[in-house]
Amino acid sequence: MRTLANIADYVSDKISSKDISLEQYVTTDSLLPDKKGRKCAQNLPPVCCTLTLYKQDDILVSNIRPYLKKLWFADSSGGCSSDVLVLRTKDNHSPKFLYATLLQDSFYTHTMFGAKGSKMPRGDRDQIMRFKIPISSNHEENIGKLIVDIEEKLNINRLINQNL
């Protein structure tokens, strides 16, 4: 059985807040609960600072109050606050499969077992990387594509419902 650490790494690349637009900035507040993606941030940091650089196909997870299940499969590049973890797949692993894996409620249950703090618990980065992944690598791309396609259809239906 593999762990998250076998297929992904935390991103440590940095970017200056002055080099991104508001639409490219991700905070824990701009990530939506219950794995529903993200909205545009309210504002950029008030002073120039260093942010974690994310790229298209990275997976961003809020590390504050993991029970809120805030997760986004990046469709662009930008920068995020330090309270957002950025995961990038290692060579020969599917980003869509990683995203599909992290959509499981068992991921958030696992994360909460290692969380520290009571009012605003934070996930433990090492604990998160020990999350077990039972699927063989032969099926990663197929599973990931199927799940992402379903998620896209659900998002379209949510938008239609909101419009109605």
Side-chain angles (χ1 to χ4, degrees), residues 6 9 20-21 25 31 56 63 87 98:
N6 297 126
D9 289 315
I20 64 167
S21 67
Y25 182 51
L31 290 172
Q56 183 173 345
N63 197 33
L87 293 162
L98 175 58

Side-chain angles (χ1 to χ4, degrees), residues 32-43:
L32 300 172
D34 297 320
K35 306 171 264 192
K36 291 185 180 162
R38 75 166 204 147
K39 63 181 180 180
C40 188
Q42 296 291 321
N43 48 29

Side-chain angles (χ1 to χ4, degrees), residues 26-128:
V26 177
T27 68
T28 58
D29 291 335
S30 65
L31 290 172
L32 300 172
D34 297 320
K35 306 171 264 192
K36 291 185 180 162
R38 75 166 204 147
K39 63 181 180 180
C40 188
Q42 296 291 321
N43 48 29
L44 286 168
V47 294
C48 184
C49 62
T50 303
L51 306 170
T52 302
L53 172 70
Y54 69 85
K55 296 180 181 176
Q56 183 173 345
D57 293 338
D58 285 344
I59 293 85
L60 283 68
V61 181
S62 175
N63 197 33
I64 294 179
R65 297 185 290 183
Y67 56 84
L68 292 177
K69 302 175 187 174
K70 294 183 173 188
L71 176 73
W72 180 54
F73 186 60
D75 57 8
S76 61
S77 297
C80 62
S81 69
S82 60
D83 293 324
V84 176
L85 303 176
V86 180
L87 293 162
R88 185 172 297 150
T89 55
K90 295 180 179 181
D91 293 336
N92 302 321
H93 290 286
S94 166
K96 290 179 180 180
F97 173 75
L98 175 58
Y99 175 70
T101 299
L102 300 183
L103 282 171
Q104 300 176 77
D105 283 342
S106 60
F107 170 70
Y108 299 96
T109 301
H110 170 83
T111 301
M112 283 305 296
F113 280 129
K116 297 177 178 111
S118 56
K119 184 177 179 185
M120 302 244 319
R122 293 176 188 268
D124 178 270
R125 293 169 61 100
D126 293 330
Q127 163 80 7
I128 291 169

Side-chain angles (χ1 to χ4, degrees), residues 134-154:
I135 306 289
S136 71
S137 60
N138 300 354
H139 304 289
E140 280 186 18
E141 190 60 41
N142 294 335
I143 292 168
K145 183 177 178 350
L146 174 69
I147 299 299
V148 168
D149 288 348
I150 291 170
E151 279 290 307
E152 286 173 0
K153 289 177 183 179
L154 288 170

